[in-house]
Amino acid sequence: NPMQGMFPINGPAWSMFWELLVNIVFALWLFRLSIRALCGVALVSAACLVFVGLKYGMLNIGWEWPSAVGGLPRVMFSFTAGVVISRLFGGMPAWRKGWVAIVPCLLLMICIAAPVPVVLRPYYDLMFAMALAPLIVMLGLFLEMPAKAETLATWIGYISYPVYILHRGAIGVFKPVA
């Protein structure tokens, strides 16, 4: 089946595959680059991301064989942008500690839940991936959760990966019941 996921037994493993590949590239080459060179890699990755985003009409790509070519620019841009953000701002103290730190989380949920017309989907996805997501990451870097929410925020962080890895299997088990 051409629409078969790259990893049919564990669907979410597709993103781990691309992330592992980009981490290997980082370990072999990217970590040596200056911020300026990393920005160049991010720009080339962004250009490739725009190409595949417009070609497929969205960025929900890289997980199945027909769009597998889109997986690398999808992960490479985000990873490289994250490294640039970390190098530029990673050692800075948080600007503010308090409930305002929930703003990036709310912004992310709004962006994910926003209804987007099909004709605008590639532009929305590209705007989110290339502008909003890095902005949300930077906001998260500069804002610190209040002490009252730290335990809950830490727990949510710890369970996010297991939920991601298991969600497809859980949906497969409970969908017939629902």
Side-chain angles (χ1 to χ4, degrees):
N1 181 353
M3 292 306 288
Q4 175 101 29
M6 291 173 61
F7 296 90
I9 293 174
N10 184 3
W14 74 271
S15 66
M16 300 296 109
F17 167 77
W18 291 115
E19 289 167 19
L20 180 61
L21 184 64
V22 171
N23 272 279
I24 290 169
V25 170
F26 178 76
L28 295 175
W29 175 57
L30 288 177
F31 81 95
R32 298 178 189 162
L33 298 182
S34 66
I35 291 174
R36 178 182 230 141
L38 284 168
C39 287
V41 172
L43 283 174
V44 170
S45 300
C48 293
L49 190 61
V50 168
F51 175 77
V52 296
L54 294 176
K55 177 180 186 221
Y56 292 102
M58 65 180 144
L59 287 183
N60 184 17
I61 55 176
W63 60 272
E64 27 102 72
W65 290 110
S67 71
V69 69
L72 186 59
R74 183 176 162 178
V75 174
M76 190 70 169
F77 171 77
S78 301
F79 185 92
T80 308
V83 172
V84 169
I85 290 168
S86 176
R87 293 238 183 119
L88 289 174
F89 307 110
M92 296 176 75
W95 290 342
R96 186 149 191 197
K97 182 173 186 164
W99 292 103
V100 71
I102 293 175
V103 168
C105 302
L106 295 174
L107 183 59
L108 178 61
M109 289 191 297
I110 290 166
C111 290
I112 289 172
V116 179
V118 174
V119 69
L120 297 178
R121 175 53 63 184
Y123 309 105
Y124 180 84
D125 286 359
L126 288 165
M127 180 187 66
F128 177 81
M130 295 168 52
L132 291 175
L135 174 67
I136 291 169
V137 168
M138 287 186 357
L139 284 173
L141 187 64
F142 294 132
L143 302 173
E144 194 173 327
M145 293 298 273
K148 291 180 182 179
E150 249 177 63
T151 304
L152 177 62
T154 301
W155 180 76
I156 290 171
Y158 283 145
I159 68 161
S160 66
Y161 179 75
V163 167
Y164 172 66
I165 286 298
L166 297 173
H167 81 279
R168 290 288 302 261
I171 289 170
V173 168
F174 291 108
K175 191 174 183 179
V177 175

